[in-house]
Amino acid sequence: MAQWRARGLGPWAIAARDDPARVIGFGGISLHTYLEQERVNLGYRFATSAWGRGYATELGHAALAFGFEDRRFNEIFGLVRPQHAASIRVLEKIGMARFATLDDVPGQAPSLVYRAMRRG
């Protein structure tokens, strides 16, 4: 909530249309510092019962639209662990491209950094 008050962005609670009282995850864009600068970062987490139903793709499209159209950011980034193939597909499906790697978890393969840029 602090990011919403201070910066006008942060995570959204996510519910299925047919059961809006039940939260199935959260996600959106928020600010994170990595690769030596503060970045607008797309992130999400869903209950395992919601996996494979297109929610992450729908959230990703909505978050990018909000970030580019409403907030007028020029770039939005996403971090993903290299073994999370489904999340990599989501980021690529919503138009993000691999940008860099980030050695953020000691003893593990570096995370992949994806980026989308505002058009026009």
Side-chain angles (χ1 to χ4, degrees):
M1 293 308 294
Q3 269 197 44
W4 276 107
R5 285 188 294 275
R7 304 297 284 274
L9 67 145
W12 299 316
I14 303 164
R17 285 187 180 103
D18 62 351
D19 190 2
R22 191 183 71 142
V23 173
I24 59 171
F26 65 91
I29 57 172
S30 56
L31 300 173
H32 294 279
T33 300
Y34 55 89
L35 297 176
E36 301 182 14
Q37 74 181 68
E38 186 176 66
R39 298 178 184 276
V40 179
N41 191 76
L42 167 66
Y44 55 83
R45 296 264 193 277
F46 286 94
T48 55
S49 61
W51 291 4
R53 297 178 178 218
Y55 294 123
T57 301
E58 186 175 353
L59 173 275
H61 282 298
L64 290 181
F66 173 71
F68 291 139
E69 296 167 20
D70 293 24
R71 296 305 319 260
R72 307 296 293 166
F73 292 120
N74 291 320
E75 300 175 305
I76 298 175
F77 295 85
L79 293 174
V80 64
R81 302 294 303 147
Q83 68 270 25
H84 293 171
S87 287
I88 291 169
R89 282 192 302 277
V90 167
L91 296 180
E92 292 173 348
K93 190 185 301 186
I94 65 172
M96 300 185 87
R98 189 152 164 206
F99 174 74
T101 59
L102 177 66
D103 192 10
D104 58 338
V105 180
Q108 299 290 317
S111 290
L112 307 177
V113 181
Y114 277 73
R115 175 178 69 171
M117 299 182 70
R118 182 164 51 104
R119 295 186 178 112

